[in-house]
Short mmCIF file of all heavy atoms in Angstrom, two decimals:
data_model
loop_
_atom_site.label_atom_id
_atom_site.label_comp_id
_atom_site.label_asym_id
_atom_site.label_seq_id
_atom_site.Cartn_x
_atom_site.Cartn_y
_atom_site.Cartn_z
N ALA A 60 13.65 1.95 -14.65
CA ALA A 60 14.01 2.06 -13.23
C ALA A 60 15.47 1.66 -13.06
O ALA A 60 15.90 0.62 -13.55
CB ALA A 60 13.12 1.19 -12.37
N LYS A 61 16.23 2.49 -12.40
CA LYS A 61 17.65 2.24 -12.20
C LYS A 61 17.90 1.62 -10.82
O LYS A 61 17.31 2.02 -9.84
CB LYS A 61 18.42 3.56 -12.30
CG LYS A 61 18.22 4.29 -13.60
CD LYS A 61 19.32 3.97 -14.56
CE LYS A 61 19.29 4.86 -15.76
NZ LYS A 61 18.60 4.32 -16.90
N ALA A 62 18.83 0.70 -10.80
CA ALA A 62 19.25 0.10 -9.52
C ALA A 62 20.16 1.07 -8.78
O ALA A 62 20.83 1.90 -9.39
CB ALA A 62 19.98 -1.21 -9.78
N SER A 63 20.20 0.93 -7.48
CA SER A 63 21.11 1.72 -6.66
C SER A 63 22.54 1.38 -7.05
O SER A 63 22.89 0.21 -7.21
CB SER A 63 20.89 1.39 -5.19
OG SER A 63 21.95 1.84 -4.40
N ARG A 64 23.37 2.39 -7.19
CA ARG A 64 24.78 2.15 -7.53
C ARG A 64 25.51 1.39 -6.43
O ARG A 64 26.37 0.57 -6.70
CB ARG A 64 25.49 3.47 -7.80
CG ARG A 64 25.06 4.12 -9.07
CD ARG A 64 25.83 5.39 -9.31
NE ARG A 64 25.24 6.11 -10.42
CZ ARG A 64 25.67 7.26 -10.84
NH1 ARG A 64 26.70 7.83 -10.25
NH2 ARG A 64 25.09 7.86 -11.86
N SER A 65 25.16 1.68 -5.20
CA SER A 65 25.89 1.06 -4.09
C SER A 65 25.43 -0.36 -3.78
O SER A 65 26.23 -1.23 -3.46
CB SER A 65 25.77 1.92 -2.83
OG SER A 65 24.42 2.07 -2.47
N SER A 66 24.11 -0.63 -3.89
CA SER A 66 23.62 -1.94 -3.48
C SER A 66 23.14 -2.82 -4.65
O SER A 66 22.96 -4.02 -4.48
CB SER A 66 22.47 -1.78 -2.49
OG SER A 66 21.34 -1.21 -3.13
N GLY A 67 22.88 -2.21 -5.80
CA GLY A 67 22.36 -2.97 -6.92
C GLY A 67 20.89 -3.34 -6.76
O GLY A 67 20.36 -4.14 -7.52
N THR A 68 20.21 -2.75 -5.78
CA THR A 68 18.81 -3.06 -5.52
C THR A 68 17.90 -1.96 -6.08
O THR A 68 18.35 -0.86 -6.37
CB THR A 68 18.54 -3.23 -4.02
OG1 THR A 68 18.91 -2.01 -3.35
CG2 THR A 68 19.32 -4.40 -3.45
N PHE A 69 16.63 -2.30 -6.19
CA PHE A 69 15.61 -1.37 -6.67
C PHE A 69 14.67 -1.03 -5.52
O PHE A 69 14.32 -1.89 -4.72
CB PHE A 69 14.78 -2.02 -7.78
CG PHE A 69 15.59 -2.38 -8.99
CD1 PHE A 69 16.19 -3.63 -9.08
CD2 PHE A 69 15.77 -1.47 -10.02
CE1 PHE A 69 16.94 -3.97 -10.19
CE2 PHE A 69 16.52 -1.80 -11.13
CZ PHE A 69 17.11 -3.06 -11.22
N ARG A 70 14.24 0.22 -5.46
CA ARG A 70 13.24 0.61 -4.44
C ARG A 70 11.87 0.37 -5.03
O ARG A 70 11.50 0.98 -6.03
CB ARG A 70 13.44 2.06 -4.04
CG ARG A 70 14.68 2.20 -3.17
CD ARG A 70 14.94 3.62 -2.72
NE ARG A 70 13.80 4.27 -2.10
CZ ARG A 70 13.68 4.53 -0.80
NH1 ARG A 70 14.62 4.16 0.02
NH2 ARG A 70 12.64 5.16 -0.33
N ARG A 71 11.14 -0.56 -4.41
CA ARG A 71 9.80 -0.93 -4.87
C ARG A 71 8.82 -0.90 -3.71
O ARG A 71 9.18 -1.24 -2.58
CB ARG A 71 9.82 -2.35 -5.46
CG ARG A 71 10.55 -2.44 -6.76
CD ARG A 71 10.72 -3.86 -7.22
NE ARG A 71 9.48 -4.63 -7.26
CZ ARG A 71 9.47 -5.97 -7.34
NH1 ARG A 71 10.57 -6.66 -7.41
NH2 ARG A 71 8.32 -6.60 -7.38
N ARG A 72 7.59 -0.55 -4.02
CA ARG A 72 6.57 -0.56 -2.97
C ARG A 72 6.09 -1.98 -2.70
O ARG A 72 5.91 -2.78 -3.60
CB ARG A 72 5.37 0.28 -3.37
CG ARG A 72 5.59 1.74 -3.10
CD ARG A 72 4.32 2.53 -3.16
NE ARG A 72 3.71 2.50 -4.48
CZ ARG A 72 2.55 3.08 -4.76
NH1 ARG A 72 1.87 3.71 -3.83
NH2 ARG A 72 2.07 3.04 -5.98
N VAL A 73 5.89 -2.22 -1.42
CA VAL A 73 5.30 -3.47 -0.95
C VAL A 73 4.12 -3.07 -0.06
O VAL A 73 4.21 -2.12 0.72
CB VAL A 73 6.33 -4.31 -0.16
CG1 VAL A 73 5.68 -5.53 0.45
CG2 VAL A 73 7.49 -4.70 -1.07
#
Side-chain angles (χ1 to χ4, degrees):
K61 303 264 190 265
S63 164
R64 289 182 189 178
S65 60
S66 68
T68 59
F69 298 90
R70 287 181 52 107
R71 290 172 53 195
R72 278 194 297 177
V73 174

